[in-house]
Structure formats: C-alpha cells, structure tokens
Amino acid sequence: MNTDVQLIIVMGVSGSGKSSVAKNLAKALGYSYLDADDFHNIEAKRLMAKGKALSDLQREQWLHRMISFFKLPSFAQSKTVFAFSGLKHRHRRLLNALELSTQFIFLHGKEQVIAKRINDRNGHFFPVHLLKSQFDALDCPISVPHYREELDITLINIDKPLKEITKAALDCCKVQGQIV
C-alpha cells in the first residue's frame, strides 16, 4: 500500500452512502474511519432532527472543529477515511489546504434515489425533507464556477448497489496509487 495519502475524504449529500462507503474503504485499506457527523454539536443534531437546516454560521463552526482536529500533532501519522458532506467548494478547499496528503471522492446521484435511501434507513438524525436543503447548498464539483480547481475529485455515481459503489471507490484508490 502506498503510504503517501493520509486522508481519503468520501463526500456527498446526506443519504448518498458516504458513511457506508467510507467504512468499507477504511476496512479494505486498513485505515481508520471518521465521520464528520461526530463533529456536530448537540444543538446542531437537535435542530436537524427537528427538521431545521443548519445556518452558515453553524456549518462554519462545524468545519472549524474538523480542521482543528486534523491539525492536531497526534493526527499527523494517521491514515483515515473521512465521511464528510463536502457541500461547499470553499469547505473542500479548506480541507485540501491542510498539510496532509488527501484524496477526494464525491458520491453523486439523483435526489429521488437518495430520498428513498434516507426513508429506508433507521436511527439517523437527518430527516428526508431536509435533503432539498443539501442539494440547494451543494456546489457540485462538476458544475461550480471553480470546477477546474477541483479536478482532484473523483466522481462516483451512486445509482447502483453499495458493493459496486465501494468497488468503484476502491478502484479509484488503486488508480491513484493507494494500493499496490
């Protein structure tokens, strides 16, 4: 395995499968797994559970908690697969600016497919009616004005079973030299 990449970031709107794919990738690569949802404070989780979208300020505070964590000296030797929505171009660039070797994978799909997935899952704080707010907030890597800055993001369509999506992500890692 190539030891250069420290942080593989699996991104997408809620319900896209980023946590499942990231967990599977971490297991296959022998990396640790981390979920951005764990950086939400209790208030933010309560708001989302009540069906309220987060404000830009709440998202900024959440992002800064993650950035601070990745800057800790104890993280410097870690190998992690990170599930993170990555909705905003600016947020993705802040993570890319960390002094870490990173790889970005963006899971994309149709809103109807993702809504069905959210309706089918149990025990998650994110309700399906907030999905539209995620799509509204999304600066999709292939359509933002700065997309040429984001050519380092691999796009994977999620309109297939989880096993196939995970294999595509793993193949992406192989192509980019993560596994020998």
Side-chain angles (χ1 to χ4, degrees):
M1 178 183 317
N2 182 329
T3 58
D4 292 342
V5 171
Q6 292 174 271
L7 184 62
I8 299 170
I9 303 171
V10 180
M11 304 175 296
V13 297
S14 187
S16 64
K18 64 187 170 289
S19 295
S20 297
V21 171
K23 285 177 188 174
N24 291 344
L25 266 182
K27 183 176 180 182
L29 297 172
Y31 280 33
S32 61
Y33 166 77
L34 189 62
D35 197 309
D37 285 346
D38 297 334
F39 290 89
H40 281 301
N41 61 28
I42 293 169
E43 177 189 350
K45 287 183 179 181
R46 282 187 190 142
L47 279 172
M48 288 185 281
K50 290 179 181 177
K52 300 186 189 280
L54 297 181
S55 69
D56 286 340
L57 176 61
Q58 288 165 318
R59 284 190 183 113
E60 290 297 319
Q61 293 168 342
W62 173 62
L63 181 67
H64 287 291
R65 282 191 292 277
M66 289 182 271
I67 299 286
S68 295
F69 175 81
F70 292 130
K71 287 183 176 180
L72 291 173
S74 59
F75 189 80
Q77 301 304 314
S78 296
K79 306 275 190 238
T80 302
V81 180
F82 183 49
F84 169 64
S85 57
L87 299 179
K88 295 293 188 183
H89 167 77
R90 190 172 55 75
H91 297 171
R92 296 187 298 263
R93 294 303 89 195
L94 284 171
L95 286 172
N96 200 33
L98 290 168
E99 293 182 18
L100 300 170
S101 176
T102 57
Q103 179 176 349
F104 294 88
I105 298 171
F106 189 85
L107 306 178
H108 69 97
K110 296 177 182 163
E111 191 170 345
Q112 309 89 283
V113 170
I114 296 171
K116 181 179 180 339
R117 288 181 177 190
I118 291 173
N119 280 326
D120 290 347
R121 69 183 180 187
N122 295 315
H124 197 277
F125 63 86
F126 191 89
V128 70
H129 67 273
L130 281 182
L131 182 59
K132 182 174 179 352
S133 72
Q134 292 234 315
F135 274 96
D136 290 346
L138 177 62
D139 294 333
C140 188
I142 58 174
S143 62
V144 296
H146 308 288
Y147 77 95
R148 290 178 190 256
E149 296 172 19
E150 296 197 307
L151 294 177
D152 60 339
I153 297 176
T154 301
L155 300 172
I156 297 176
N157 188 313
I158 60 152
D159 197 9
K160 52 190 128 195
L162 176 61
K163 189 173 183 177
E164 290 180 40
I165 298 166
T166 300
K167 183 183 180 317
L170 198 52
D171 289 347
C172 159
C173 292
K174 287 178 183 177
V175 167
Q176 295 190 15
Q178 296 312 299
I179 302 170
V180 292

